[in-house]
Amino acid sequence: MQDNATEVTAAGIARLAGVGRAAVSNWRRRHADFPRPVGGTETSPSFALAEVESWLRKQGKLAEVPLRERVWQQLSGHPEGPVTALTHAGCLLLLIHDRPTVWLEVGAGSDERLSEMLPGALREVFTPRFGPEAAMSTPPAVNTLDAVNTVNAPNAVDAPDVVNPAPPASGVHTPSAVNTPAAVNTHPAVRLPTGPELLPSAPLLRGVAELAAELGARQTFEFLLGRHLDANPRQYTLTPADLAALMADLAGPARTVLDPACGTGALLRAAATRPDQELHAQDSAPELAALTTLRLALQTWSTVRGAVGDSLRADAHPGLRADAVLCHPPFNERNWGHDELAYDPRWEYGFPARTESELAWVQHALARLKDGGAGVLLMPPAAASRRSGRRIRADLLRRGALRAVIALPLGAAPPYNIPLHLWVLRRPEKAPAQPEVLLVDVGQFAGEGRGGPDWRALREAVLDAWQAFGRPGRFAERPGLARALPVIELLDDDVDLAPARHLPPPTAADGAEQLTAVREHLGETLRLTADLTPPRADAAHPARWPLTTIGELARGGALMLRTGGNGGHARVPVLTDHDVLFGADPSGTLPESEEDAVLTEPGDVVVPVLGGGSVARVIDAATAGAALGRNLVLLRPDPAALDPWFLAGFLRGTANNRQASSYASTATRLDVRRLQLPRLPLDEQRRYGERFRALDEFERALRHAGRLGEQLVRGMYDGLTDGTVAPD
């Protein structure tokens, strides 16, 4: 039985049938029996999925709906919304994961029988996995007056008024503004759905079970969750997996791990390495708390305790003393609870200012650690130097609670335009006799262009420095990378912990040797450049070739013209206009959407349409397979008609670009269809193509030599000014 309430957009229909959206528009115009819209808007209507599938099969346009696509369309068009649908799907997948034979009995029969039997089956899984509170279909009542009177005792006068929350979505529970053990157990991240709540999801659950038989329960949930996150990129802040793994490694092995702002669960997933672990998660967003709890339960056999609520205002784990706390807290929050939490016992190191929400998260993490426990938090760089937080930073240093500050390169985590920091904490068992703090700056591992950092090299450098810092004896300074600084040297009026302000430049130790290596590399590159220098140009009379345009060639079938999009189905590197202009590797990303990504192939020619420069890039085997980014046009020549290097070379002519460009007050835009080519035989094209290919190789060598030259000049200036390089 199909769910007639599940809706699908025109883009979704195109994906089901494997056609473009224009084909769906044509079907609607040409076929009177095409299903009528059941929702959406006039410009973006939605249709009943069951009716669409039936019509496609009747027309012979769809032999069988792909299982993954059918399940995703059921989930995304669920009448209660995709979050509720994904939560119900996660509950079922956990049952299949833990007790696969039970589903065979529950799934037999009608949808009504399934919805009646499933809650009882889920209860047997929820109780050992999430605790008895999650196994209740309806949370117990709370005496809110008693709860408020115990907030932050004995100074409860500053407790906030309790506001009754709006009804939550089924399967997801909403927190109240209380911060007591009595209130904690009433807000598990996932609660047992009832039979009536599950009934609309019955067709989806059958499809999910079928997909789990094909992919596995864990992989099915990851696929559906990944599609949901990619379809809503602005709603979620994701912690990159490489960064999460580094943070877990810095914290070290831990049996009990807490993430008080768990988001999508990347940090706890990275820390989940043993079946005997206890994973505690909390998030103020009910949907994230629910989905992350289910994700962790499917990822590991560890005990998972997920809760909903703002960890600063409504801490769900007040009695917890964890081995490790990992956290990517929200940044720059003014409304974090400054007024109502003034007397909170967590502020052991000082009451954070209203502008210092990150220092509130730091102290919350320390309060939830056992003595000797480790915490790793992702922090904005301003938290290391703002004057409003200097007293708290000073006390963290004096008492040995802050062990390391690690400056990450640009692009390590969102927001990608800021070089974020990692703070490594340790709840002190006793005050250290001569406290030191490790300062590390790994900005040198930033990727080229707008790509991410070199995670492998970054991770090795950070962990090597951290492990060396933990060994007995004096830490060997690593100029430009790491230094162990006595705390007393930082306790000035600013208490500035930014690593770059305290690390000696890289030239301080082996600058001369490094500069020699750069000079030798530059010499080799210059010699190669000399070998690649084009031969002497002989004078010739201006050629009078018959010309054609890119538009005419596209209409005649000699080449195919495609433009870059705003999204796609595949998770692949994206070639951006910046990459084309600067000869860099694909460095961009695109959110998953209903659009079909344009994937590059060897021999394609890519042209930027903004900026007014005459640039064209021929795709090689290393770049092939990347998705085409925005503001780019791809030309795919027919090898029997056009040589790609001949095409790219003539597109770069200055006069050619001028006559094909339009000029606005703030930008120049290239109309690629108006670019001109001479009509030449293929053999003659190849002669020109070989010359253009050689020019491209020469250009790349010049670009590389320029980068090495800049590095050599900068190193010489630094070496001469810090005394590590002699002037003669």
Side-chain angles (χ1 to χ4, degrees):
M1 172 178 154
Q2 184 59 273
D3 182 11
N4 286 310
T6 301
E7 299 177 9
V8 62
T9 63
I13 297 173
R15 293 181 66 179
L16 283 170
V19 298
R21 294 185 64 173
V24 178
S25 299
N26 289 335
W27 293 344
R28 292 185 63 195
R29 288 194 300 267
R30 292 169 47 200
H31 298 277
D33 62 339
F34 192 87
R36 300 296 179 190
V38 296
T41 65
E42 184 175 347
T43 56
S44 181
S46 58
F47 307 83
L49 178 60
E51 295 179 8
V52 168
E53 290 183 355
S54 176
W55 186 86
L56 290 173
R57 287 198 179 92
K58 189 185 301 181
Q59 294 291 325
K61 301 183 185 299
L62 186 67
E64 181 60 43
V65 179
L67 180 58
R68 291 191 185 200
E69 194 58 42
R70 174 160 58 88
V71 172
W72 170 248
Q73 294 296 347
Q74 287 176 313
L75 188 147
S76 61
H78 193 281
E80 297 297 327
V83 172
T84 295
L86 190 53
T87 304
H88 290 174
C91 292
L92 173 67
L93 289 168
L94 185 60
L95 175 65
I96 294 173
H97 180 267
D98 286 9
R99 303 190 178 186
T101 58
V102 175
W103 165 248
L104 300 178
E105 168 63 20
V106 172
S110 66
D111 289 351
E112 288 75 12
R113 179 178 182 274
L114 182 155
S115 62
E116 290 174 1
M117 294 187 63
L118 188 54
L122 289 175
R123 182 176 287 108
E124 300 303 314
V125 175
F126 274 35
T127 300
R129 285 303 212 122
F130 305 135
E133 299 84 8
M136 294 185 287
S137 296
T138 305
V142 184
N143 185 333
T144 55
L145 181 60
D146 291 343
V148 171
N149 286 339
T150 59
V151 173
N152 304 322
N155 302 295
V157 293
D158 291 302
D161 295 333
V162 176
V163 180
N164 292 327
S170 60
V172 183
H173 206 61
T174 304
S176 65
V178 293
N179 182 21
T180 70
V184 167
N185 292 335
T186 67
H187 300 95
V190 182
R191 66 171 175 82
L192 188 68
T194 64
E197 291 171 344
L198 288 169
L199 183 57
S201 299
L204 166 67
L205 297 180
R206 295 186 188 280
V208 167
E210 188 179 352
L211 187 58
E214 178 182 309
L215 302 179
R218 179 184 305 166
Q219 293 80 358
T220 297
F221 189 74
E222 286 299 313
F223 162 70
L224 295 174
L225 177 61
R227 287 283 291 266
H228 175 69
L229 295 176
D230 289 344
N232 302 275
R234 296 183 180 180
Q235 295 183 22
Y236 306 103
T237 299
L238 306 181
T239 305
D242 290 310
L243 176 59
L246 174 61
M247 293 173 67
D249 288 340
L250 287 169
R255 184 178 178 277
T256 305
V257 188
L258 167 67
D259 185 347
C262 63
T264 58
L267 295 175
L268 289 175
R269 290 180 71 210
T273 58
R274 315 191 324 232
D276 63 337
Q277 285 177 298
E278 294 180 6
L279 305 178
H280 297 262
Q282 184 170 352
D283 201 275
S284 58
E287 68 277 7
L288 278 179
L291 297 177
T292 293
T293 301
L294 290 166
R295 189 182 199 186
L296 292 171
L298 285 163
Q299 174 82 16
T300 174
W301 289 101
S302 303
T303 301
V304 181
R305 293 292 183 267
V308 177
D310 179 349
S311 289
L312 296 183
R313 286 193 175 94
D315 183 13
H317 310 284
L320 179 66
R321 295 297 177 265
D323 297 308
V325 174
L326 303 174
C327 188
H328 178 175
F331 298 159
N332 302 319
E333 290 282 323
R334 293 298 184 100
N335 187 26
W336 59 267
H338 176 271
D339 294 338
E340 60 263 39
L341 298 176
Y343 300 98
D344 196 290
R346 288 173 290 183
W347 315 142
E348 296 181 50
Y349 302 87
F351 180 42
R354 191 182 301 277
T355 56
E356 295 288 351
S357 62
E358 296 86 8
L359 293 182
W361 285 100
V362 165
Q363 296 193 74
H364 173 77
L366 286 167
R368 295 296 159 262
L369 286 170
K370 71 177 185 181
D371 290 346
V376 184
L377 277 74
L378 186 65
M379 302 283 281
S385 56
R386 281 190 298 242
R387 288 189 61 81
S388 54
R390 64 189 187 279
R391 291 186 178 179
I392 294 178
R393 294 195 298 271
D395 208 30
L396 290 169
L397 291 172
R398 287 191 195 97
R399 297 170 61 179
L402 180 58
R403 304 295 294 132
V405 176
I406 301 166
L408 299 171
L410 285 168
Y416 291 107
N417 61 333
I418 297 175
L420 301 175
H421 290 179
L422 290 177
W423 284 25
V424 184
L425 311 170
R426 187 83 66 187
R427 183 166 180 83
E429 298 177 86
K430 59 180 181 179
Q434 294 180 330
E436 290 187 329
V437 63
L438 177 67
L439 301 178
V440 181
D441 189 336
V442 286
Q444 61 185 285
F445 299 107
E448 291 189 10
R450 286 181 282 186
D454 182 349
W455 279 109
R456 181 176 179 180
L458 185 156
R459 179 177 178 275
E460 289 177 355
V462 169
L463 294 180
D464 183 59
W466 174 244
Q467 291 162 5
F469 179 66
R471 299 188 195 110
R474 185 171 181 80
F475 179 82
E477 189 174 282
R478 302 165 192 202
L481 179 66
R483 181 185 185 188
L485 202 63
V487 164
I488 192 65
E489 295 187 22
L490 294 168
L491 297 179
D492 53 17
D493 289 342
D494 295 322
V495 196
D496 191 333
L497 307 181
R501 302 182 194 275
H502 304 284
L503 293 178
T507 57
D510 54 356
E513 291 80 358
Q514 288 186 0
L515 290 176
T516 300
V518 171
R519 187 178 184 279
E520 291 176 354
H521 194 184
L522 175 61
E524 294 172 1
T525 305
L526 289 175
R527 286 190 290 273
L528 174 62
T529 305
D531 294 339
L532 294 173
T533 301
R536 182 175 60 87
D538 296 327
H541 295 291
R544 300 296 181 185
W545 296 302
L547 299 176
T548 184
T549 65
I550 294 296
E552 291 173 350
L553 291 170
R555 287 191 294 272
L559 58 80
M560 182 177 66
L561 188 148
R562 301 288 299 274
T563 58
N566 296 312
H569 311 322
R571 296 183 181 181
V572 296
V574 175
L575 186 69
T576 68
D577 54 349
H578 181 279
D579 301 331
V580 175
L581 290 169
F582 294 94
D585 293 332
S587 65
T589 58
L590 288 176
E592 182 163 324
S593 73
E594 304 295 344
E595 298 182 32
D596 292 320
V598 179
L599 302 182
T600 58
E601 296 179 3
D604 289 345
V605 177
V606 177
V607 182
V609 297
L610 294 180
S614 54
V615 177
R617 176 170 175 175
V618 178
I619 300 299
D620 56 16
T623 314
L628 192 68
R630 290 172 291 181
N631 301 321
L632 292 175
V633 172
L634 179 145
L635 306 175
R636 183 164 294 160
D638 180 353
L642 281 174
D643 179 81
W645 285 101
F646 163 81
L647 172 63
F650 272 95
L651 294 186
R652 293 191 60 173
T654 302
N656 201 3
N657 275 261
R658 284 177 179 171
Q659 63 85 28
S661 296
S662 58
Y663 303 92
S665 58
T666 58
T668 302
R669 186 172 188 88
L670 181 68
D671 184 350
V672 175
R673 292 179 178 273
R674 291 171 54 192
L675 288 168
Q676 297 177 335
L677 285 178
R679 294 183 182 272
L680 295 179
L682 191 57
D683 289 343
E684 188 70 6
Q685 291 182 31
R686 288 171 179 156
R687 285 185 60 223
Y688 276 96
E690 286 302 317
R691 192 65 180 270
F692 287 136
R693 186 199 293 266
L695 279 174
D696 179 79
E697 191 174 355
F698 176 64
E699 182 181 37
R700 284 188 281 113
L702 282 177
R703 187 182 291 121
H704 185 51
R707 288 196 293 264
L708 289 172
E710 290 177 0
Q711 185 178 350
L712 179 61
V713 170
R714 182 73 267 162
M716 287 295 296
Y717 271 111
D718 289 343
L720 288 167
T721 55
D722 64 23
T724 58
V725 173
D728 45 278

